[in-house]
Amino acid sequence: MAGPASTTRRGTRSGRPTRVPLPPHPPEYVARRLQEIDRDSAESLLLALTEDGCDLAGLERFAESEEELRGMARTILARYGDAATFHTNVNRPGHVRGTLDFTSSGWAYSPLSVYTEDYGLIVVTDTEVGMFWNFADY
């Protein structure tokens, strides 16, 4: 009997081989590529992850307003509680350490995956870790 429609017994999806996007890395490799950011920056980053290029320009394609989308991002982050910390491999330095500035044109990231571009948000609490990521393979 076959598994779910999108998965075959050979570990492929839609007839394509499964590709593990984040290979195992030692902790020190990952730590060098991440920076802690504040909750407001994490909220903006969640929205920026919806678009290749990691910016907020693509929000116009959604039916919801930017404020409605921000409310959704706040709901996601609230799930982790007030003590959560936020980490990213995105470098869009704001005017204050630990913030990201999505109004600046320049940005960079420290890749962690096998793809051409990858950037994301890691949320850490005492009991769990959440990861939100965008992968682009041009």
Side-chain angles (χ1 to χ4, degrees):
M1 180 172 194
S6 65
T7 305
T8 69
R9 289 184 196 182
R10 299 182 199 276
T12 62
R13 293 182 175 265
S14 305
R16 296 182 305 185
T18 301
R19 187 172 174 186
V20 178
L22 294 171
H25 294 299
E28 58 276 2
Y29 178 92
V30 175
R32 285 192 311 267
R33 287 163 173 75
L34 298 178
Q35 65 171 326
E36 187 169 345
I37 58 173
D38 67 356
R39 184 175 288 266
D40 289 340
S41 294
E43 176 187 312
S44 291
L45 181 55
L46 268 181
L47 298 178
L49 290 174
T50 63
E51 187 73 25
D52 289 351
C54 197
D55 62 33
L56 300 174
L59 297 182
E60 62 196 27
R61 66 185 167 89
F62 290 95
E64 296 84 2
S65 70
E66 182 174 341
E67 191 50 44
E68 289 171 308
L69 293 169
R70 287 191 176 281
M72 292 176 196
R74 284 190 293 273
T75 298
I76 292 169
L77 297 179
R79 182 238 181 280
Y80 294 96
D82 293 335
T85 59
F86 308 97
H87 309 267
T88 186
N89 65 332
V90 173
N91 185 12
R92 289 186 89 111
H95 298 292
V96 176
R97 182 176 169 85
T99 63
L100 300 178
D101 180 1
F102 285 93
T103 63
S104 69
S105 60
W107 73 286
Y109 65 95
S110 298
L112 294 167
S113 78
V114 298
Y115 291 101
T116 307
E117 284 186 5
D118 76 80
Y119 27 87
L121 172 65
I122 301 172
V123 184
V124 180
T125 72
D126 288 341
T127 58
E128 64 184 322
V129 173
M131 291 181 67
F132 305 88
W133 228 260
N134 182 311
F135 298 101
D137 203 13
Y138 304 107

